[in-house]
Amino acid sequence: MAIPKAQASRLMLCCKSSPEDRTSHFSEKPMAKKTPEQKAAEQKRYIAACGAASTAELEPFLTDPNQAIRATAAMNPDADADILDRFANDKFWGVRVEVIRNTNVGKHTLFRLLEKDTSKRGVVHHEARAKLEQLGVAFGVDGMPSDSGEA
C-alpha cells in the first residue's frame, strides 16, 4: 500500500532530525550541557553519597536532583532501614531497586514495594518479591505474600 505524497512529506518533516539540532521532539528548547562547575559539583555529591556514614549524612540525597546520585546513596552500606524506607518513596524505579538490593532494607519496606495490581507490576515488585522469598516469605498464586510475615 502506497502512502499518499502529501502524507509522506509530513512524515518526513516529523521524522527528520539533524545532528546539529539538539532539540527534543517534545520541546523546542535545546538540551543544556552541564558546565564544568556542574560536573565537579555532581562528582562531589557522588563521593559524598558513597562516603556518608549516617542517616544525617544521607538525608540531603533524598532530594538530590540527580537520580543516579540518589541511587548511589541508596546503595550505601551504612544506610539504615529508616532512611532506606524514605528512599523507597523515590519516583524512579532505579532508586527503589537499589533500596531493595541494600542488605539493611527492612521487611516492612519490601512489603510496601509490592504491587497488588498485576497490570502495574514491574521490576520493583519482582525484585522485592525475590528478596522476600530469600527471607523465607511464601507467595501465593496471585503473586502476593500468602502471609504478611510482619509479625
Side-chain angles (χ1 to χ4, degrees), residues 19-88:
E20 296 82 29
D21 182 26
R22 293 186 47 133
T23 59
S24 164
H25 290 284
F26 303 104
S27 148
E28 294 186 19
K29 294 179 182 178
M31 292 176 12
K33 281 188 153 187
K34 292 179 185 172
T35 65
E37 294 81 15
Q38 289 171 319
K39 289 179 184 179
E42 199 170 83
Q43 186 64 30
K44 285 180 183 176
R45 293 195 325 267
Y46 270 113
I47 293 167
C50 290
S54 68
T55 298
E57 291 176 2
L58 284 166
E59 201 157 354
F61 300 107
L62 287 165
T63 57
D64 194 282
N66 187 314
Q67 173 188 350
I69 292 174
R70 293 192 311 273
T72 300
M75 286 188 256
N76 188 309
D78 292 322
D80 64 15
D82 291 334
I83 194 78
L84 289 171
D85 190 60
R86 293 172 64 195
F87 274 108

